[in-house]
Amino acid sequence: MAEIFDPKPAVQKGFEIDERILRLAEKAEESCAERFAEIDRTARVNGEKVLKAFIDNKVSAACMTGTAGYGYGDVGRDTLDAVYAQIFGGEDALVRHNFVSGTHALTCALFGVLRSGDKLVSLTGSPYDTLEEVIGIRGKGNGSLADFGVSYDQVELLPDGKPDLAEIFNKAKDAKVAYIQRSRGYSLRPALTVDGIAELVKAAKGANPNIYVIVDNCYGEFVESKEPLQAGADLIVGSLIKNPGAGIAETGGYIAGSKKLVEQCAYRLTCVGMGKEVGCSLNQNKSMYQGIFFAPEVVANALKTAVFTEEIMSLCHFKCYPEKGEKRGDIITAVLMKDKESLIAFCQGVQKGSPVDSYVLPEPWDMPGYDSQVIMAAGTFNTGSSIELSADAPLREPFAAYVQGGLTFAAGRMGILTALQEMFDRHCLKLF
Ligand SMILES: *Cc1c(COP(=O)(O)O)cnc(C)c1O
């Protein structure tokens, strides 16, 4: 029989990465081995937890199809709420594509729980940039919590970035809600571990047994095998274009925790009295189910990319956070870039190694909600999705690039290598 295909292997066009960068990559990977094994163990525990929640809640083929109109009795939507509640250890959950972002979900949680005359206290210093306007720290007359008579106070972090337990005791006494940000966000403080969150919950509830603890869980889901509700928090909130959506959910957010508080949040998202009963799922259910199903594995890939970034950037003499030996509480690696040029070269290099929009050059811009210019490398399937490899950097001292995500380790690793190559090409990196 005649030869029907060409037996020669297809010629692959490789990445043009300097030999010295490739050697650094090899060295970095060698020192990651133990931590990679630990990440795989956590992914397995979490993967089993997710599978069990699917089985226990009888996720069915019918759950994958959506509804239109009011969405009364949407079995896919209601079952997904129950699946999330079980996975995260809550009584109930609200998982909706209608949340436009993590900030929106957090806003619903705060407005859902707080009332005029109440006090909100942040236990972890300044909250994430976009929440400043929501709370009313910046801006006036926009309908912020402050405009509605909710007062705000914050417990500053100690000089080493750790929470100030003594001060928490003082400031939590007369507050209705204690707010905790698990991830480092755009700052160099350490992310909180779940055990660290448990200490804060204990301190706040010790001072005031009636206080509600709300945790901004962004970037923290599945990093450990426990979640903050299991550390005593009352509500957790996150974004579906981060960890729990696995790059598959197209948009959305979630809130999980106590039944009563979740209902109050649902009243804020839709209408008082209607809450969780309305809201059609359109065609979003399947991607949200697949997202949470894949999330433990995808978070593991993002964590491997993060640990690799930490190692190789340290080998190139850039200061990185988390610091050596620090236990991870989120998927972020912050890299101090020394100057603006290096920061921009790094971010543009990450973009060059991305699966989508690799040919696009990201530029610094005035992003809504942020008070300095931000450059964002995000060559992602879902716009702005940061469980996909992305590097964000506010253009301000200390010129830190916040690197996170990576749907697969192969692509995440290569994104970092193209960034190093870009820095080298622009004389922002010396190689020996
Ligand atoms: C991403 C994030 C948020 C929410 O941001 P969105 O861009 O609105 O989704 C809030 N807090 C932290 C710590 C975050 O990382």
Side-chain angles (χ1 to χ4, degrees):
M1 218 174 120
E3 201 73 61
I4 47 169
F5 43 66
D6 183 354
K8 286 196 300 284
V11 178
Q12 285 188 341
K13 254 170 66 181
F15 286 88
E16 281 169 18
I17 307 287
D18 190 286
E19 276 293 326
R20 288 163 293 182
I21 297 178
L22 292 175
R23 276 203 300 276
L24 284 173
E26 230 170 81
K27 198 168 159 200
E29 261 183 281
E30 274 166 27
S31 30
C32 290
E34 231 171 84
R35 282 192 288 168
F36 280 14
E38 176 70 38
I39 289 167
D40 285 333
R41 281 192 288 275
T42 305
R44 187 197 296 185
V45 173
N46 285 329
E48 287 176 1
K49 184 162 67 175
V50 168
L51 175 61
K52 189 72 169 56
F54 272 59
I55 293 169
D56 288 353
N57 290 287
K58 298 193 163 63
V59 172
S60 66
C63 292
M64 303 302 147
T65 52
T67 57
Y70 291 125
Y72 291 127
D74 186 319
V75 63
R77 179 197 65 201
D78 295 345
T79 304
L80 186 61
D81 285 345
V83 166
Y84 261 68
Q86 178 169 334
I87 291 168
F88 290 122
E91 291 169 0
D92 203 355
L94 180 67
V95 189
R96 294 294 181 276
H97 66 85
N98 311 79
F99 286 123
V100 303
S101 66
T103 305
H104 183 206
L106 286 159
T107 301
C108 281
L110 293 173
F111 275 90
V113 175
L114 289 156
R115 298 290 176 268
S116 187
D118 287 343
K119 179 177 130 182
L120 165 69
V121 61
S122 163
L123 307 188
T124 44
S126 306
Y128 194 73
D129 288 42
T130 55
L131 287 168
E132 292 185 356
E133 285 180 84
V134 174
I135 294 168
I137 301 169
R138 272 191 292 134
K140 264 209 157 44
N142 300 331
S144 66
L145 284 169
D147 285 342
F148 283 96
V150 174
S151 63
Y152 173 76
D153 199 356
Q154 70 188 36
V155 180
E156 298 301 340
L157 295 166
L158 296 168
D160 63 358
K162 303 254 166 68
D164 183 343
L165 291 172
E167 195 59 14
I168 286 174
F169 195 82
N170 289 330
K171 291 194 171 174
K173 271 187 199 135
D174 59 344
K176 165 92 163 277
V177 168
Y179 183 86
I180 296 173
Q181 183 181 308
R182 180 173 178 183
S183 161
R184 71 179 65 249
Y186 281 157
S187 80
L188 299 178
R189 58 156 264 223
L192 284 164
T193 60
V194 175
D195 285 342
I197 292 172
E199 273 181 55
L200 300 194
V201 172
K202 202 169 143 218
K205 298 209 170 189
N208 175 0
N210 297 322
I211 205 164
Y212 294 124
V213 178
I214 300 182
V215 177
D216 171 354
N217 207 27
C218 284
Y219 289 137
E221 298 91 351
F222 302 122
V223 168
E224 298 180 54
S225 50
K226 268 189 311 191
E227 297 289 339
L229 295 175
Q230 292 154 320
D234 298 284
L235 277 185
I236 56 172
V237 185
S239 163
L240 297 196
I241 58 169
K242 293 182 179 171
N243 303 17
I248 300 170
E250 293 181 272
T251 182
Y254 77 92
I255 298 175
S258 96
K259 193 167 181 61
K260 181 181 121 187
L261 297 185
V262 168
E263 176 163 72
Q264 283 176 222
C265 299
Y267 281 1
R268 166 74 195 190
L269 175 66
T270 68
C271 307
V272 177
M274 292 184 182
K276 299 180 65 186
E277 311 284 321
V278 291
C280 63
S281 52
L282 300 174
N283 56 355
Q284 295 296 311
N285 279 345
K286 187 170 163 207
S287 56
M288 291 196 285
Y289 277 105
Q290 284 187 305
I292 192 75
F293 184 74
F294 276 96
E297 286 297 328
V298 169
V299 169
N301 282 310
L303 279 169
K304 286 178 184 173
T305 304
V307 167
F308 174 75
T309 303
E310 214 182 297
E311 285 294 333
I312 195 164
M313 295 314 284
S314 301
L315 287 175
C316 296
H317 304 289
F318 292 98
K319 176 124 188 70
C320 292
Y321 299 85
E323 295 178 276
K324 272 253 173 308
E326 190 182 314
K327 193 170 182 311
R328 273 197 170 266
D330 66 14
I331 62 168
I332 300 177
T333 298
V335 187
L336 297 199
M337 286 298 175
K338 301 178 180 143
D339 55 51
K340 198 168 142 182
E341 289 69 38
S342 307
L343 188 61
I344 293 174
F346 179 83
C347 291
Q348 293 183 341
V350 166
Q351 183 83 28
K352 275 193 170 178
S354 299
V356 181
D357 289 341
S358 57
Y359 57 90
V360 167
L361 208 60
E363 296 282 355
W365 66 300
D366 297 304
M367 194 172 165
Y370 295 84
D371 76 347
S372 58
Q373 279 206 317
V374 179
I375 181 168
M376 288 197 162
T380 55
F381 294 89
N382 295 303
T383 312
S385 161
S386 47
I387 185 60
E388 306 182 47
L389 180 67
S390 46
D392 315 339
L395 291 185
R396 63 189 184 209
E397 295 274 3
F399 300 112
Y402 296 89
V403 184
Q404 64 272 314
L407 296 178
T408 69
F409 177 62
R413 173 184 171 281
M414 189 47 73
I416 300 306
L417 298 188
T418 57
L420 282 171
Q421 184 65 43
E422 190 67 19
M423 291 177 78
F424 177 65
D425 292 344
R426 295 197 206 171
H427 309 288
C428 296
L429 177 71
K430 285 202 190 76
L431 295 171
F432 300 99

